[in-house]
Amino acid sequence: MRGKQWLCRSVAKHRAAKCAGKKSRYEKERKVRIYCGFLCLAAGFFVLYGKELPLFFFPKTGYEALAKLAEIENREVREQTLPVRYAEASDSFLNIYRAEGRVPTYIPPTKETEPVFVKQLLEERFGELEEVSFHNFLSNYYIEDVSTKATSDVISLTELAEYKPALEQTEEPQILIFHTHGSEGYADSRPEVTEDTVIGAGTLLAKELRETYGYNVIHETTVFDRKADGSDDRNNAYNNALPVITEILENYPTIEVVIDLHRDSGEARTSVINGVSTAKVMLFNGLCRTKDGPISYYSNPNLKGNLGFSLHLQITGNELYPGLMHRIYLKSYRYNMHLKERYVLVELGTHKNTVAEAKAAMIPLAKTIATVLSGQDE
């Protein structure tokens, strides 16, 4: 009898040990599956990080902005593909590009801008403007490059708040858009395709300002930062551009606004505007001064106007489209900004933004410019 009991116990122990082994093996396999799942999720995140989602992932509100963008690009079977034109030497340039080879005709506006009161917004944020700390104001709206030093006599909050940027609209050319660094493209720009560079974005901005807000715009598309053989000439780009822009302004004295449209470098700067991923806009001012003081061989009688215009654009843009505008960048040199009071240098995203993100910013930027020029931000 005892032998039988011993045998039953042995069989039971063997079965229990076998089951325990199976359970232990199952637990191990389960842990391996969990670890593999986490690894796959992590790999997928790193592969997809920074990639554009397909169109059907955009919120419904994004379709309107995308449709508007497509309408601008394709209206009237789009203008001829922009030619790439290079400045061969400082004293020899190709002709200015204008729509259909001539100065665009006046187109009555189809939209009105809504008022934005810059001085009132500043007072709501800071209180009495005369009592605001200079460093408090500076840190809220500006980024200082290490090469320069802003001072309260150069950047005065009360003076800039009271600046009057309004421009009475006429049928003559009033706005010039050009690109000192016209070769600058984006993360997915196609090689040697001009419309994928800042020049392509400038074309959309010009069309929106013309056809929606009724401004007569000349768009200059010479590539000033490349030689005719295609090699870089960035060090001479501002010198190359100066005589051409000066000549345009002499030929068309009715031009009061100059926009030098660039692209920055560094990490992508984006914001979601109306449901669409949009490149941020960073305005740029040259102060004609290093950290040691004014630069003796540069002068800019329009500096206060440049600063006032850029601040009104920055505040108006973020009021109309929160997150659109980055803080204004201050650097030491002049960058040809002495040519006009309403002269603004724009950094449209960075080299890590996409072409679509850059072009998506043109509709809100055009409205921002039109609002400021209409005088409704005063």
Side-chain angles (χ1 to χ4, degrees), residues 67-285:
K68 175 68 175 173
L69 192 63
E71 179 188 347
I72 291 174
E73 287 199 80
N74 296 300
R75 190 180 292 145
E76 297 178 359
V77 198
R78 192 192 282 182
E79 294 178 355
Q80 281 188 332
T81 302
L82 291 176
V84 178
R85 292 175 173 169
Y86 300 103
E88 295 183 355
S90 59
D91 59 349
S92 176
F93 296 90
L94 292 170
N95 291 330
I96 301 161
Y97 167 79
R98 304 180 184 116
E100 300 175 1
R102 56 183 171 76
V103 176
T105 54
Y106 173 73
I107 301 174
T110 59
K111 273 188 184 178
E112 293 184 359
T113 54
E114 48 196 85
V116 174
F117 304 103
V118 168
K119 187 176 180 182
Q120 181 181 321
L121 288 169
L122 286 168
E123 288 172 339
E124 288 174 2
R125 180 166 190 176
F126 294 109
E128 289 294 328
L129 300 186
E130 292 80 4
E131 299 175 7
V132 178
S133 157
F134 170 68
H135 294 290
N136 185 19
F137 167 57
L138 194 73
S139 63
N140 272 273
Y141 290 104
Y142 296 95
I143 301 170
E144 250 182 326
D145 187 80
V146 293
S147 67
T148 194
K149 183 68 178 174
T151 58
S152 57
D153 61 316
V154 175
I155 299 181
S156 165
L157 173 55
T158 51
E159 285 184 13
L160 300 187
E162 291 171 358
Y163 175 71
K164 306 297 183 185
L167 179 65
E168 187 177 347
Q169 204 165 34
T170 70
E171 297 185 10
E172 300 299 319
Q174 290 186 289
I175 299 175
L176 169 66
I177 298 173
F178 80 104
H179 314 271
T180 300
H181 295 151
S183 69
E184 290 176 329
Y186 293 92
D188 56 348
S189 292
R190 294 164 292 180
E192 303 304 320
V193 177
T194 309
E195 67 184 76
D196 285 0
T197 66
V198 289
I199 295 177
T203 301
L204 289 182
L205 179 61
K207 287 176 72 67
E208 183 71 358
L209 286 168
R210 282 187 204 123
E211 298 179 14
T212 301
Y213 299 104
Y215 288 96
N216 199 329
V217 184
I218 291 176
H219 184 204
E220 159 63 56
T221 64
T222 297
V223 180
F224 296 108
D225 59 341
R226 291 269 180 89
K227 296 179 181 177
D229 61 5
S231 59
D232 286 338
D233 195 22
R234 292 180 68 82
N235 291 338
N236 291 314
Y238 285 97
N239 290 334
N240 291 342
L242 180 58
V244 173
I245 305 311
T246 302
E247 184 180 358
I248 295 172
L249 296 178
E250 288 174 353
N251 291 339
Y252 300 96
T254 53
I255 292 176
E256 293 293 340
V257 179
V258 180
I259 301 168
D260 186 3
L261 188 61
H262 291 243
R263 180 229 68 204
D264 204 3
S265 58
E267 291 302 314
R269 291 195 288 263
T270 57
S271 184
V272 178
I273 307 295
N274 294 329
V276 176
S277 182
T278 303
K280 278 179 170 285
V281 172
M282 183 177 78
L283 306 180
F284 184 107
N285 280 112

Side-chain angles (χ1 to χ4, degrees), residues 253-358:
T254 53
I255 292 176
E256 293 293 340
V257 179
V258 180
I259 301 168
D260 186 3
L261 188 61
H262 291 243
R263 180 229 68 204
D264 204 3
S265 58
E267 291 302 314
R269 291 195 288 263
T270 57
S271 184
V272 178
I273 307 295
N274 294 329
V276 176
S277 182
T278 303
K280 278 179 170 285
V281 172
M282 183 177 78
L283 306 180
F284 184 107
N285 280 112
L287 296 183
C288 294
R289 60 187 298 122
T290 68
K291 56 187 177 182
D292 299 319
I295 300 174
S296 60
Y297 51 88
Y298 277 139
S299 65
N300 182 359
N302 291 315
L303 178 58
K304 290 291 178 73
N306 297 161
L307 290 165
F309 189 44
S310 63
L311 182 64
H312 280 248
L313 288 170
Q314 205 271 355
I315 294 172
T316 301
N318 272 340
E319 181 67 16
L320 295 175
Y321 303 96
L324 173 67
M325 310 297 289
H326 199 59
R327 285 186 296 161
I328 301 166
Y329 199 88
L330 302 174
K331 206 166 180 179
S332 51
Y333 295 107
R334 189 171 63 177
Y335 308 101
N336 294 336
M337 300 185 76
H338 64 294
L339 294 175
K340 280 291 175 181
E341 188 176 293
R342 298 180 191 84
Y343 190 122
V344 64
L345 196 156
V346 179
E347 298 280 5
L348 177 59
T350 77
H351 73 289
K352 291 190 176 181
N353 282 104
T354 65
V355 174
E357 287 170 339

